[in-house]
Amino acid sequence: MTARATYQTQAMALSCDASAEELATIFNGGGRTGHSDELRAMIVHELVLAGHDVLNHPAVGRWARLRHWRHHGLGWLPIELADFEQPDARPGTPEPGWQALLAGKTVDAAGLGLDLVATTTEDFTARAGRVFAHWVEYSNGKVDAHEYLAADPVRDHDLRDLLAGAAPAFLAGGDIRTLRAVPATLRQVWTRLFQAASGSSFYGPLQGGAYGRLHTWQTMAALTGAPATATPDDVADLARACRWFALDTTSTWFWSVWEPSDLALACIGPELERVTVIAATDSD
């Protein structure tokens, strides 16, 4: 087990079961107590995800306000949940709501044949796929992410025809007429991405809530066009300005081994001409 995996196991256990006195022992006294800032940062965000008022905790809150740990990757995240984050979202817990969402009303009216330019870059692909990186690293996962710019504002009803014309890899081997786009809330999208980011691949370790939360925000930042220098507030504002869709397709690109290990979604915005899509699949 790697050091990070060990810390993650400890952080999850401590955030659930540790008393205020135990947490004070971990967060008081700096490095000489033998507890690392990596462990502390993980505990902070596990507590945030569990719905705790971290900033007002006498020991944890004092440490969380310190500036020295903000260089840490987890230090970029907000110490409070955004309105679209699911309170008490537990790492690795499958999200049944996504499959129920796909049973909902689809956007099925005919769209316009919009002129489209692919603007996907390597940076976008890497950032957008952060949620699924462990699927690729540890098992047989694959990710397909794209960014497009249309000549005119994209309506919801344009999405299916637009994707058919763009022909991303994840639509290969399927009947485009079966492609469905179902409007989703930002909370539904965040929860589904977090479920993938915090869980495990078929062969890899559980990623945990702290890094699952970070990778979910990083993927959302890419999908919404946030620059690398964006703050969480910037990303949240952009995400709220977008329209989100769950995608359902018969494509054989997906391994289709287990429902939680297949995902496709689209985002329109924040500019009305901008569309991003991401699909991922994992297998044993």
Side-chain angles (χ1 to χ4, degrees), residues 14 67 96 122 160 224 228:
L14 288 166
R67 303 179 68 88
E122 290 185 4
R160 189 179 76 171
T224 59

Side-chain angles (χ1 to χ4, degrees), residues 107 109-114 153-163:
V107 176
L112 297 175
L114 298 177
V154 178
R155 306 172 307 167
D156 293 3
H157 294 161
D158 298 325
L159 191 55
R160 189 179 76 171
D161 287 351
L162 184 149
L163 292 177

Side-chain angles (χ1 to χ4, degrees), residues 20 32-33 57 60 89 142 152 183 197 208 217-218 221 223 241 259 262-263 266 279:
R32 65 179 178 274
T33 65
H57 188 286
V60 182
K142 52 184 178 179
D152 297 293
W217 276 78
Q218 289 172 332
L223 294 176
E259 287 180 349
D262 295 322
L263 173 65

Side-chain angles (χ1 to χ4, degrees), residues 45-211:
H45 290 291
E46 292 289 352
L47 290 170
V48 169
L49 286 164
H52 292 280
D53 184 5
V54 170
L55 289 174
N56 286 321
H57 188 286
V60 182
R62 181 193 63 79
W63 186 86
R65 290 187 181 90
L66 295 176
R67 303 179 68 88
H68 84 275
W69 76 288
R70 292 306 175 134
H71 70 280
H72 190 288
L74 294 173
W76 175 80
L77 286 169
I79 307 298
E80 297 174 307
L81 292 176
D83 58 343
F84 50 80
E85 291 185 280
Q86 182 68 43
D88 203 27
R90 302 314 300 160
T93 303
E95 175 48 51
W98 196 258
Q99 293 305 315
L101 175 66
L102 290 177
K105 186 176 181 180
T106 186
V107 176
D108 56 6
L112 297 175
L114 298 177
D115 292 332
L116 194 69
V117 176
T119 57
T120 310
T121 63
E122 290 185 4
D123 178 68
F124 169 82
T125 300
R127 293 173 65 207
R130 197 64 193 86
V131 156
F132 309 105
H134 59 298
W135 290 9
V136 176
E137 179 179 0
Y138 291 107
S139 54
N140 294 309
K142 52 184 178 179
V143 181
D144 191 31
H146 300 276
E147 182 179 30
Y148 304 107
L149 190 64
D152 297 293
V154 178
R155 306 172 307 167
D156 293 3
H157 294 161
D158 298 325
L159 191 55
R160 189 179 76 171
D161 287 351
L162 184 149
L163 292 177
F170 72 87
L171 293 181
D175 185 345
I176 192 63
R177 292 172 297 181
T178 67
L179 175 64
R180 301 171 60 245
V182 182
T185 67
L186 179 54
R187 174 169 283 202
Q188 288 170 321
V189 170
W190 183 90
T191 303
R192 183 63 182 88
L193 290 173
F194 176 79
Q195 181 267 323
S198 62
S200 61
S201 61
F202 272 85
Y203 294 116
L206 188 75
Q207 299 300 293
Y211 278 96

Side-chain angles (χ1 to χ4, degrees), residues 211-257:
Y211 278 96
R213 188 182 185 217
L214 175 62
H215 298 159
T216 299
W217 276 78
Q218 289 172 332
T219 288
M220 286 179 49
L223 294 176
T224 59
T229 56
T231 66
D233 284 345
D234 296 333
V235 175
D237 288 344
L238 290 170
R240 295 186 191 102
C242 293
R243 287 128 59 202
W244 298 91
F245 302 85
L247 300 179
D248 189 23
T249 174
T250 59
S251 168
T252 57
W253 183 86
F254 295 93
W255 296 124
S256 300
V257 174

Side-chain angles (χ1 to χ4, degrees), residues 1 4-20 22-23 26-27 35 38-47 49-50 52 88 90-91 206-210:
M1 182 178 288
R4 190 173 115 181
T6 301
Y7 285 142
Q8 181 58 61
T9 300
Q10 294 172 347
M12 292 175 63
L14 288 166
S15 66
C16 292
D17 301 324
S19 66
E22 289 174 305
L23 290 175
I26 294 170
F27 281 89
H35 299 292
E38 175 77 355
L39 175 61
R40 295 186 179 108
M42 287 183 174
I43 293 173
V44 164
H45 290 291
E46 292 289 352
L47 290 170
L49 286 164
H52 292 280
D88 203 27
R90 302 314 300 160
L206 188 75
Q207 299 300 293

